[in-house]
Amino acid sequence: MVDRRQNILEAAAKSFTLFGYKATTMDQVAKIANVGKGTIYTFFENKEELFKEIVSDLVQQIKHVAVEAIRQERPFHENLHAALYGVLDFRKSHKLAIKISQEGREMNTPAVKEASNMLEAAVMSFIRQELEKAIEKGEIKKCNTEITSYVMLKMYVSLVFDWEMEHKPLSKEEIADIFENILITGLRK
């Protein structure tokens, strides 16, 4: 039996990926899902609710990527680098995440801005938890984990995405070295 709700979610994700949030209509989603528009409204109140559900799933996927990168036997900075690079690599290759980022920059659509904030908040929360664990283990000195997680994420995003707009892309090793020299060294006890 076909799960109509899941079918609608997949169709909506496809439409948001192809056309963006602003240009996606419930008629398009219905056509892609091969259901009547009314069927969509039996599961979702509006386009915003449908989009939030899809973004929530994307957040869960990102969290999974980060958690899977952690290895107990590795030091904090290696785990953090692996998790951040994995998340950003996922974001870079996941077409919906790319579209959200692009539409957020170009159109500043409120729902897309909220989605971008949800994605960023999930990654910052993960970094913050890893910082707190490293502080408890004595791997790093005490710091403001909220500000530090923000700086770490922004630095990573800048090195992975922004840098290559005008320069040769950096390798994982180069990013890890920069990260180590600028941030991790300052956090060590």
Side-chain angles (χ1 to χ4, degrees):
M1 183 174 171
V2 175
D3 182 348
R4 284 192 180 162
R5 186 176 192 283
Q6 187 59 38
N7 186 35
I8 291 166
L9 284 168
E10 289 169 8
K14 185 174 185 178
S15 185
F16 291 133
T17 300
L18 291 171
F19 308 112
Y21 173 81
K22 199 167 191 166
T24 291
T25 65
M26 294 300 249
D27 287 325
Q28 285 172 325
V29 173
K31 187 175 179 181
I32 293 169
N34 200 26
V35 297
K37 193 163 93 171
T39 303
I40 296 172
Y41 289 110
T42 62
F43 297 103
F44 303 97
E45 195 172 306
N46 52 37
K47 181 170 86 168
E48 292 79 17
E49 185 180 314
L50 183 56
F51 187 63
K52 277 184 182 178
E53 176 101 14
I54 290 166
V55 171
S56 292
D57 180 59
L58 187 57
V59 166
Q60 292 308 313
Q61 290 177 52
I62 286 173
K63 284 180 180 178
H64 179 75
V65 167
V67 168
E68 287 297 306
I70 300 298
R71 302 285 176 265
Q72 295 302 326
E73 68 278 2
R74 284 193 306 220
F76 162 75
H77 68 281
E78 287 179 23
N79 273 331
L80 190 62
H81 175 67
L84 283 173
Y85 202 87
V87 165
L88 295 178
D89 205 31
F90 172 86
R91 226 176 93 183
K92 207 174 187 181
S93 63
H94 193 281
K95 291 178 179 159
L96 180 58
I98 293 168
K99 194 67 169 179
I100 289 170
S101 180
Q102 178 187 20
E103 189 172 336
R105 279 191 315 272
E106 293 172 5
M107 296 183 198
N108 208 18
T109 310
V112 174
K113 189 149 180 73
E114 183 181 333
S116 291
N117 290 343
M118 280 176 62
L119 295 172
E120 188 173 283
V123 176
M124 282 181 47
S125 173
F126 173 80
I127 296 169
R128 194 172 181 179
Q129 289 171 1
E130 291 304 309
L131 286 166
E132 288 166 359
K133 287 179 198 173
I135 290 168
E136 282 178 27
K137 289 180 183 177
E139 288 186 76
I140 62 173
K141 62 185 173 186
K142 273 192 160 209
C143 64
N144 180 320
T145 57
E146 184 176 8
I147 293 171
T148 304
S149 63
Y150 176 84
V151 169
M152 287 179 158
L153 178 60
K154 293 300 183 178
M155 182 178 169
Y156 240 83
V157 168
S158 292
L159 292 173
V160 173
F161 293 104
D162 301 338
W163 175 263
E164 59 186 54
M165 287 182 186
E166 296 182 25
H167 304 87
K168 179 182 154 230
L170 299 168
S171 69
K172 285 183 180 182
E173 294 76 22
E174 289 172 313
I175 293 170
D177 284 345
I178 294 165
F179 202 72
E180 175 82 17
N181 291 332
I182 295 174
L183 287 174
I184 303 301
T185 300
L187 288 172
R188 283 210 177 98
K189 279 190 158 191

